[in-house]
Amino acid sequence: VFGLGDEFHPAAPKPAKTKDESEKEDAIVVEMAKSGRSKCCKCNEVIQDGDPRVGVYGFKRGSASYAWFDPACFLKICKLEYCASGRGKCKFTKQEFSKGELRFAFENGELGKTFAYISMEGLDFVLPKVISFLPSFDASDITGYADLTPEDQATFVKAATGTSKKTPPAASSSGAAAGAAKGKKRAAAPSSSAAADAGKGKKRKTA
């Protein structure tokens, strides 16, 4: 209850984030829903508590926030294309695109109007995790895939599934076993010189 001399000061509205501040946010997050209150912005279905969801950070109606999608619907707002100019940067590696470079685009504002981009190197940060929540993945379902060269199609599939990184070959079990056996033989078998010295020692003691 306010007295006659009291003044009411309503809380100041929270200022909207600027574009510079929004750049500090993750462009895409992949997580399990923390509640059952979010809806997929593509199919408008409720994303249940504990179900996987993909958050796309961008500007919509003058403010910056995350728009949520189920993994399958997220891929429906993505496309593959060749960079028409030498402008733009990958949202994850921050590297500039060169003209004609293959890139992965996703809608990050008003659906169908604004896009952000990821390089093939940057895809490893997000797409393999998205795909891991799908029962199956067909690269040809991505818009623009059919327009790529066969080499670029293979490049995208490797990047999208996380198989583009080279790992050192593991030693075969037979090779490892053979190496271990050789090591045991070396440790167990005394050298001829050591055996001779031992024999001399015995002779001195008996003499």
Side-chain angles (χ1 to χ4, degrees):
V1 180
F2 291 93
L4 293 177
D6 295 330
E7 293 183 4
F8 175 67
H9 298 282
K14 188 176 180 180
K17 290 186 177 181
T18 64
K19 287 189 176 182
D20 289 338
E21 289 173 331
S22 69
E23 288 294 326
K24 298 177 183 178
E25 299 286 348
D26 291 328
I28 298 175
V29 294
V30 185
E31 63 178 27
M32 311 307 283
K34 300 177 176 65
S35 69
R37 293 176 296 179
S38 59
K39 284 187 177 182
C40 174
C41 291
K42 185 68 175 177
C43 67
N44 207 36
E45 293 290 330
V46 174
I47 301 174
Q48 298 296 333
D49 183 17
D51 283 354
R53 65 180 184 178
V54 183
V56 177
Y57 193 80
F59 278 84
K60 187 176 182 180
R61 296 173 185 170
S63 62
S65 61
Y66 280 104
W68 298 103
F69 301 87
D70 65 64
C73 283
F74 168 72
L75 294 181
K76 294 177 182 178
I77 66 165
C78 302
K79 64 180 180 179
L80 290 160
E81 65 178 28
Y82 293 108
C83 181
S85 65
R87 294 178 295 178
K89 292 182 179 181
C90 170
K91 280 292 185 181
F92 289 95
T93 66
K94 307 303 180 185
Q95 297 295 317
E96 293 185 355
F97 291 108
S98 58
K99 186 175 182 180
E101 181 180 353
L102 174 62
R103 64 185 183 181
F104 183 82
F106 61 95
E107 298 174 13
N108 72 333
E110 298 290 343
L111 294 184
K113 295 182 179 180
T114 59
F115 289 85
Y117 305 95
I118 308 175
S119 65
M120 292 300 101
E121 292 77 12
L123 279 182
D124 185 65
F125 287 93
V126 62
L127 206 53
K129 190 172 182 179
V130 173
I131 291 173
S132 70
F133 291 117
L134 300 175
S136 62
F137 171 67
D138 187 348
S140 63
D141 290 337
I142 304 295
T143 301
Y145 178 82
D147 299 326
L148 305 182
T149 65
E151 293 79 10
D152 285 337
Q153 288 180 345
T155 297
F156 168 69
V157 171
K158 288 181 179 179
T161 56
T163 57
S164 58
K165 288 187 175 181
K166 295 182 179 180
T167 54
S172 64
S173 57
S174 58
K182 288 181 180 179
K184 286 182 179 180
K185 286 182 179 180
R186 294 192 189 99
S191 64
S192 58
S193 59
D197 291 341
K200 291 179 181 179
K202 288 182 179 180
K203 287 182 180 180
R204 292 192 189 98
K205 288 182 180 180
T206 55

